Amino acid sequence: MFNDLYDVIVVGAGHAGSEAAAAAANMGSKTLLVTMNLQNIAQMSCNPAMGGIAKGQIVREIDALGGYSGIVSDTSAIQFKMLNKSKGPAMWSPRVQSDRMRFAEDWRLLLEQTKNLDFYQEMVSGLLVENHKVVGVKTSLGLEIKAKTVVLTNGTFLNGLIHIGDKNFGGGRAGERAATGITEQLIDLGFESGRMKTGTPPRVDGRSLDYSKMIEQPGDEQPDKFSYLEHIKPLKEQRSCHMTYTSPEVHDLLREGFDRSPMFNGRIQSTGPRYCPSIEDKINRFADKDRHQLFVEPEGWNTVEVYVNGFSTSLPEDVQFKALKSVAGFENVKFFRPGYAIEYDYFPPTQLKHTLETKLVDGLFFAGQINGTTGYEEAASQGLMAGINAALKVQEKDEFILKRNEAYIGVLVDDLITKGTEEPYRMFTSRAEYRTLLRQDNADFRLTPKGYDLGLASETRLRRMEEKQKESDNFVQFFRDTSVKPEEVNPILESKNSSLVKQSDKMFKLFSRPNIATEDMRKIEAVENYIQEHNLDTEVIEQTEIQIKYSGYIEKEKNNADKLNRLEDVKIPANFDYTKLKSMSTEAIQKLTKIQPVTISQASRISGVSPADVSVLLVYLGR
């Protein structure tokens, strides 16, 4: 059946596995995607949405590199919103509400059209390893499939255990069995493992809800999109979400079930996501709050199934039902399925290199929740990086690593392998020290040339990015070079309560004022004429405004990044013996020995390693 030797085998077809398989195959590697159920490729196991705070930046980065998540998010979207628009552009974050069934279908069809990619439905129960090198996988039917590299993207399936009240049963997702065998083998090979938890809310029948008692949450009036590709178009129609609230009565009804909750009776001891807590966790931790927001999200264009965002729970189903009936608009609610919690195995990511290849087994890569992350976007970005690096390894080419000042993906991977995580890791804008550089609007400028060099981003995509960059650079220069007279600009400044000018001044300086926007500058005839003559689109106009308004911040961050990147150039020899450094703290020696950082810069980011310890290391290496 499998006489061929694959370059890359990807185990699991969630968001990480799908991106990994697409990347490896598109780079020319003979790739096999093995999953337990081919009907559930890229399944949205939890909320039907992509993007959000910092996550939207990741989806844009995946798209800029030539991955598929941005395209599928756009083709299956039912609503688009740019979050944080009231803040600076470093915080703007795109998000779509998705049609759950269409999302999975679009992903599958894209993968089926990808050259070099084969599919097989079965459970992988083990790895084939010879002399600390992976040589393939073994299935539950006993088939051995040979490969040069393997990418594990097991999601919540490794020894998955589902909890609903005092009941629990094995499963990787509702209605699907858990995967067994891999964890035990990895532990035998010397890997350290742990347990994490996540949860999901009930799904309900939208026909049983009273939306007149809720607050409508429409999409943006002029929706944007994720993908930079021209043939992908923004939405013309959108579906609204709705918002309602819990109440003290709802909280009291939920508390009645606390003695039967696996969260509180000791059945669940693993760590859940701090930033997406269950409803019982919220009312326990924030006892002073008498209400919490619930977002009522449609699961698609035509289905009546609704996702109750904010009501994630593992309480008994009768308690869930009774409490939800007391929420405004849910008085006659009918359940499609109850919420549940799930525990699963993960492997602390400090056991990986920056390429996401394991340190212990050559050619074996981990991506997604197996590394302790939570979220579709975090998983997809790791899958993309693991797939790229598996293909490069087979092709005997240099590894592909993104730095912290180049992408949120670089921040994510570096955080995981340098700091590790003891709770499900979620990306936030606050995790990125260079977030002014890593905006959602410039992901193509940052990453499309790299994607093109890898063979993932097309030449058409690259040329479009270059044209956009040239147009915005020229428009910025126009503002730098062109002056405006007081009589032309003062009426605009006066209307914005901005101080008037007494003599002609460069437009760049006036546009830099915080309360002056593009629509104000367009009232100046020369600006509007320039836009019309050069046929500038909204992307170029927005890019120009950001470059002008935030030029000082952008320049400062670039300088800081350049200084730190010099430390990235100071390499630490492999398997360096830190015990030789007698003046270094014991904690630093232990942490550095465990993580084995590749550069001084990485060493400086390890918790427990002080600036003094870094100085000792620099002095020693300088000798």
Side-chain angles (χ1 to χ4, degrees):
M1 263 180 85
F2 294 102
N3 297 328
D4 295 338
L5 172 67
Y6 283 98
D7 293 320
V8 182
I9 290 178
V10 178
V11 179
H15 298 258
S18 296
E19 285 288 5
N26 280 323
M27 288 171 67
S29 292
K30 189 169 173 55
T31 306
L32 175 68
L33 181 59
V34 190
T35 184
M36 289 163 70
N37 189 345
L38 284 170
Q39 304 310 116
N40 293 339
I41 284 177
Q43 177 83 294
M44 289 180 139
S45 311
C46 200
N47 62 322
M50 285 293 281
I53 310 297
K55 293 166 173 279
Q57 282 86 330
I58 290 175
V59 178
R60 278 264 162 99
E61 290 177 351
I62 292 169
D63 182 73
L65 282 165
Y68 288 169
S69 287
I71 296 167
V72 176
S73 296
D74 288 333
T75 59
S76 61
I78 63 173
Q79 187 195 89
F80 182 95
K81 262 190 174 177
M82 186 67 77
L83 307 181
N84 279 345
K85 246 334 215 188
S86 60
K87 299 180 181 176
M91 308 298 284
W92 298 353
S93 302
R95 180 186 190 270
V96 295
Q97 199 66 33
S98 303
D99 184 311
R100 184 191 297 277
M101 289 184 282
R102 188 178 289 185
F103 185 92
E105 181 186 27
D106 288 359
W107 248 114
R108 174 158 176 166
L109 294 176
L110 264 180
L111 288 173
E112 286 183 358
Q113 291 157 26
T114 302
K115 286 182 183 174
N116 305 313
L117 183 56
D118 292 345
F119 302 85
Y120 189 61
Q121 177 174 300
E122 213 203 313
M123 185 174 89
V124 169
S125 56
L127 301 166
L128 303 175
V129 180
E130 295 173 5
N131 301 319
H132 301 287
K133 180 175 170 51
V134 75
V135 293
V137 299
K138 189 167 52 186
T139 74
S140 55
L141 290 176
L143 289 175
E144 293 192 352
I145 312 170
K146 297 297 178 74
K148 296 172 185 174
T149 59
V150 172
V151 183
L152 291 184
T153 69
N154 307 80
T156 57
F157 282 76
L158 290 180
N159 292 319
L161 186 64
I162 291 172
H163 296 267
I164 303 175
D166 40 21
K167 306 176 189 121
N168 62 52
F169 49 92
R173 196 161 41 207
E176 296 179 66
R177 63 182 176 147
T180 54
I182 291 176
T183 295
E184 296 72 17
Q185 184 185 7
L186 289 173
I187 290 169
D188 286 345
L189 287 165
F191 285 90
E192 176 193 344
S193 79
R195 294 282 276 176
M196 279 190 179
K197 173 194 89 79
T198 190
T200 194
R203 312 305 201 270
V204 302
D205 189 335
R207 296 169 299 183
S208 66
L209 304 181
D210 183 353
Y211 291 103
S212 69
K213 294 182 179 178
M214 306 179 200
I215 304 156
E216 188 176 5
Q217 303 281 298
D220 289 348
E221 277 186 32
Q222 292 182 301
D224 200 343
K225 61 194 180 87
F226 272 115
S227 182
Y228 290 102
L229 291 171
E230 271 189 297
H231 72 272
I232 304 291
K233 302 298 180 189
L235 285 168
K236 285 193 169 64
E237 287 178 64
Q238 301 187 73
R239 275 201 73 176
S240 286
C241 297
H242 288 79
M243 185 173 73
T244 185
Y245 291 91
T246 61
S247 63
E249 183 193 355
V250 173
H251 296 183
D252 288 342
L253 288 168
L254 288 166
R255 285 190 190 98
E256 285 177 18
F258 275 16
D259 59 332
R260 295 161 63 202
S261 164
M263 287 277 299
F264 300 126
N265 64 18
R267 280 179 180 271
I268 292 179
Q269 295 183 331
S270 49
T271 313
R274 186 193 315 189
Y275 306 102
C276 187
S278 64
I279 189 68
E280 56 265 38
D281 201 17
K282 277 189 220 174
I283 63 176
N284 187 50
R285 276 165 51 190
F286 308 108
D288 56 320
K289 288 192 115 183
D290 59 6
R291 68 176 195 168
H292 294 285
Q293 285 180 332
L294 298 180
F295 290 96
V296 183
E297 302 178 344
E299 297 254 331
W301 284 112
N302 303 312
T303 180
V304 297
E305 190 171 355
V306 166
Y307 180 89
V308 190
N309 196 339
F311 206 86
S312 175
T313 181
S314 58
L315 285 165
E317 59 270 45
D318 59 317
V319 176
Q320 295 182 33
F321 182 63
K322 198 171 163 187
L324 205 50
K325 275 178 76 73
S326 295
V327 171
F330 281 76
E331 294 83 358
N332 299 306
V333 68
K334 292 180 180 177
F335 269 35
F336 271 19
R337 45 193 164 129
Y340 62 87
I342 181 165
E343 289 186 285
Y344 55 93
D345 295 335
Y346 85 105
F347 291 82
T350 48
Q351 300 171 98
L352 304 175
K353 303 172 186 175
H354 270 98
T355 56
L356 298 181
E357 184 180 17
T358 66
K359 294 172 184 174
L360 279 175
V361 177
D362 189 52
L364 178 63
F365 295 78
F366 290 174
Q369 282 172 290
I370 192 171
N371 290 337
T373 59
T374 179
Y376 309 145
E377 304 82 0
E378 289 88 344
S381 65
Q382 292 171 70
L384 179 70
M385 296 302 284
I388 288 169
N389 279 304
L392 290 172
K393 187 178 180 74
V394 170
Q395 293 162 12
E396 296 182 353
K397 292 179 181 173
D398 290 345
E399 57 198 19
F400 179 66
I401 294 167
L402 290 169
K403 293 176 184 168
R404 295 181 72 90
N405 65 308
E406 291 178 322
Y408 270 90
I409 298 172
V411 175
L412 169 78
V413 172
D414 186 66
D415 275 357
L416 289 174
I417 71 150
T418 302
K419 300 171 185 172
T421 187
E422 290 172 3
E423 60 183 49
Y425 177 101
R426 178 184 171 175
M427 180 51 77
F428 288 100
T429 47
S430 58
R431 294 193 191 271
E433 60 272 43
Y434 304 115
R435 55 187 169 275
T436 309
L437 301 180
L438 309 182
R439 305 181 313 276
Q440 56 83 31
D441 61 89
N442 69 351
D444 54 344
F445 292 177
R446 292 184 276 120
L447 299 175
T448 294
K450 294 177 187 292
Y452 176 73
D453 290 343
L454 288 165
L456 286 177
S458 67
E459 187 172 354
T460 307
R461 185 190 277 268
L462 180 71
R463 298 291 166 251
R464 179 166 190 267
M465 182 279 298
E466 288 172 342
E467 185 62 29
K468 175 181 155 188
Q469 191 163 37
K470 183 180 164 189
E471 286 179 348
S472 55
D473 287 348
N474 288 345
F475 199 21
V476 170
Q477 198 59 44
F478 164 80
F479 282 101
R480 286 189 190 279
D481 294 343
T482 312
S483 297
V484 63
K485 292 175 182 174
E487 59 265 29
E488 200 174 357
V489 76
N490 277 341
I492 297 165
L493 298 176
E494 194 173 3
S495 71
K496 302 295 284 196
N497 295 321
S498 193
S499 56
L500 308 184
V501 295
K502 291 177 181 170
Q503 58 191 37
S504 293
D505 211 342
K506 295 294 184 195
M507 287 196 204
F508 188 94
K509 191 175 172 185
L510 295 167
F511 201 0
S512 298
R513 295 187 184 188
N515 56 340
I516 303 300
T518 298
E519 56 264 30
D520 302 312
M521 296 303 291
R522 289 185 78 159
K523 290 171 186 170
I524 299 168
E525 192 178 346
V527 175
E528 186 59 30
N529 286 344
Y530 186 98
I531 290 170
Q532 298 305 328
E533 281 170 24
H534 294 84
N535 196 24
L536 301 185
D537 62 21
T538 51
E539 271 186 45
V540 171
I541 295 166
E542 181 185 84
Q543 187 62 228
T544 302
E545 180 173 6
I546 292 166
Q547 290 294 339
I548 291 171
K549 285 203 173 304
Y550 295 89
S551 58
Y553 298 103
I554 291 167
E555 203 53 45
K556 191 176 174 185
E557 277 199 6
K558 275 183 181 167
N559 291 336
N560 288 342
D562 289 343
K563 283 177 195 169
L564 273 174
N565 278 339
R566 285 174 210 146
L567 292 179
E568 288 286 0
D569 295 332
V570 184
K571 303 289 184 194
I572 301 171
N575 302 314
F576 183 79
D577 181 8
Y578 293 95
T579 57
K580 293 187 292 193
L581 308 179
K582 303 300 178 193
S583 48
M584 188 178 272
S585 70
T586 306
E587 184 185 6
I589 290 170
Q590 289 171 350
K591 292 279 181 74
L592 290 162
T593 302
K594 181 182 179 183
I595 292 168
Q596 287 292 318
V598 179
T599 66
I600 289 286
S601 183
Q602 189 194 352
S604 71
R605 294 190 293 271
I606 298 170
S607 61
V609 177
S610 70
D613 296 320
V614 173
S615 296
V616 171
L617 188 52
L618 268 170
V619 169
Y620 184 88
L621 292 174
R623 287 180 195 161

